[in-house]
Amino acid sequence: MNKPTAYLPFYGNDFFEAVAGYPDSVGLSYLRALWHYWNHTGCDGLPDDDDYLRRICCCERAEWARTKGLIFDNRYHFRLENGVWHQPRCREEW
């Protein structure tokens, strides 16, 4: 795992546009996933493991299916590549 040379940049307008219409809890879970992806994996990917992802998102089990479907959507936010989840813009910034 590589150590970040800088802190995760935060583009507020882009972030809030990306989570517009979602419950605040989903936006916060997405931010936690991004932070973990940057600071703990060096943008190497998050494992495709529901329990692990739920814990890093600090999401209750009852809300996880919906939250996961919005954050780990394989399209706009996190994308599954070679068995791990990546966030393309975050990885590009890294």
Side-chain angles (χ1 to χ4, degrees):
M1 173 176 64
N2 299 325
K3 292 256 182 196
T5 56
Y7 291 105
L8 170 67
F10 184 72
Y11 300 99
N13 290 340
D14 295 340
F15 176 81
F16 288 111
E17 183 179 315
V19 298
Y22 294 170
D24 286 345
S25 61
V26 173
L28 185 55
S29 291
Y30 181 46
L31 182 58
R32 285 180 170 134
L34 288 170
W35 212 267
H36 190 83
Y37 179 68
W38 179 278
N39 284 301
H40 296 282
T41 75
C43 297
D44 284 339
L46 298 176
D48 188 24
D49 176 315
D50 268 10
D51 193 48
Y52 176 85
L53 295 173
R54 185 185 64 75
R55 285 191 323 252
I56 65 165
C57 290
C58 297
C59 185
E60 297 293 328
R61 288 185 197 280
E63 299 295 320
W64 180 238
R66 179 175 186 224
T67 300
K68 181 185 180 190
L70 294 170
I71 297 172
F72 299 93
D73 61 353
N74 215 20
R75 187 171 181 190
Y76 297 114
H77 302 296
F78 277 89
R79 297 179 188 160
L80 190 61
E81 300 172 8
N82 300 317
V84 292
W85 291 98
H86 288 283
Q87 207 293 330
R89 181 170 182 188
C90 195
R91 185 168 49 179
E92 182 181 314
E93 291 288 334
W94 179 264

